[in-house]
Amino acid sequence: MHDSRETFGRQAFVTGYPVKHSRSPLIHGYWLETLGLTGSYTRQEVKPEDFAGFLSRLKSGESGFAGGNVTIPHKELAFRLADKPDALSEELGASNTLWLEEGVLHATNTDGFGFLANLDATAPGWDGTDRAVILGAGGASRAIIQAVRDRGVGEIHVVNRTVERAEELAARFGPKVHAHAMPALAEVSKGAGLFVNTTSLGMDGEAAPDFDFSPLAGGAVVTDIVYVPLITPILRQAAEQGFATVDGLGMLLHQAAPGFEKWFGTRPVVDAALRQLILADMETHA
């Protein structure tokens, strides 16, 4: 039987609540256009109480979507309701990418992939270190910890104001991960080759405390998952102290690529033109 999606292209989505500020449609729309593919990628704002029904229509084929991205607050429920979440999602307890295969709803989490791909592209060789410091123990830190551990970094020190939350992550991600309260930051930073901010410090122009990065290894890389502003107070301080920095925008761009390939059948490339497109949008909607 002829599949009408061959004529009109495959359809994908980003869903969250709210979702109106998501830049994912801009990213995927750019790839659809530059690759010459017929298809669509749209925002689907879904209230938490309606999300199970949204996924039910996705699974049945009623919605017509091939899959999509999931953002706050639906990531945990997306994992629980998917038919086949992968090992990454299982350990994280959350999924951000869904796709259908023969009526079966698969799920993964691409945040860690996006984080690593951004570092690999911007600071190749960063993973030569055996010690990393991760600031923050909120939901955003989970995929980062998992990705850095899976890349082979031997010691991962999670530093958080509430040490109990860091301890929960150490228990979840295994013996390479160590939990500390904020006063230990300078000590555990000694010789570290990677420093990651996963907190909201400095987001949207908010103030951030002063950081002394001098205990880090000489060639250390400092990165921030916040990308508004692009150069956060933490990145600015690190650069002023002579350290290489990687902004968080690349993580947003790279994490989108695996899903696009699942839905539209082609692996897209994160290039300078896409980055400039998003930067221009950020300036317009600052």
Side-chain angles (χ1 to χ4, degrees), residues 107-138:
T108 190
N109 194 301
T110 66
D111 286 332
F113 169 85
F115 175 78
L116 295 181
N118 186 34
L119 281 179
D120 289 341
T122 313
W126 70 269
D127 51 356
T129 185
D130 203 44
R131 174 178 285 214
V133 175
I134 295 178
L135 184 64

Side-chain angles (χ1 to χ4, degrees), residues 79-202:
F79 158 70
R80 293 198 297 271
L81 295 179
D83 299 316
K84 289 194 70 173
D86 68 0
L88 292 173
S89 295
E90 290 277 2
E91 187 174 39
L92 293 171
S95 301
N96 75 341
T97 303
L98 304 172
W99 70 97
L100 282 171
E101 287 184 20
E102 298 178 352
V104 176
L105 186 62
H106 293 252
T108 190
N109 194 301
T110 66
D111 286 332
F113 169 85
F115 175 78
L116 295 181
N118 186 34
L119 281 179
D120 289 341
T122 313
W126 70 269
D127 51 356
T129 185
D130 203 44
R131 174 178 285 214
V133 175
I134 295 178
L135 184 64
S141 67
R142 290 188 178 191
I144 309 300
I145 294 168
Q146 183 187 61
V148 172
R149 181 204 63 191
D150 290 354
R151 181 54 73 90
V153 175
E155 287 183 33
I156 300 167
H157 297 276
V158 181
V159 182
N160 195 57
R161 284 182 301 178
T162 307
V163 72
E164 289 81 9
R165 295 190 71 178
E167 289 169 345
E168 290 172 8
L169 296 181
R172 175 183 289 264
F173 293 105
K176 289 185 176 183
V177 183
H178 310 276
H180 308 276
M182 286 299 294
L185 181 61
E187 180 64 28
V188 301
S189 294
K190 289 180 179 176
L194 178 67
F195 183 101
V196 187
N197 176 43
T198 72
T199 75
S200 60
L201 287 173

Side-chain angles (χ1 to χ4, degrees), residues 269-284:
V269 174
V270 174
D271 58 18
L274 174 59
R275 181 178 169 89
Q276 284 305 124
L277 179 70
I278 303 303
L279 286 174
D281 183 72
M282 287 165 57
E283 291 177 5
T284 302

Side-chain angles (χ1 to χ4, degrees), residues 17-36:
Y17 190 78
V19 77
K20 63 182 179 180
H21 298 300
S22 173
R23 292 185 168 90
S24 292
L26 200 56
I27 296 169
H28 292 280
Y30 169 84
W31 284 331
L32 285 169
E33 182 178 354
T34 56
L35 290 168

Side-chain angles (χ1 to χ4, degrees), residues 181-228:
M182 286 299 294
L185 181 61
E187 180 64 28
V188 301
S189 294
K190 289 180 179 176
L194 178 67
F195 183 101
V196 187
N197 176 43
T198 72
T199 75
S200 60
L201 287 173
M203 181 183 289
D204 291 326
E206 293 293 323
D210 291 333
F211 285 87
D212 176 13
F213 293 105
S214 63
L216 297 176
V221 175
V222 177
T223 187
D224 200 324
I225 67 169
V226 171
Y227 62 90
V228 179

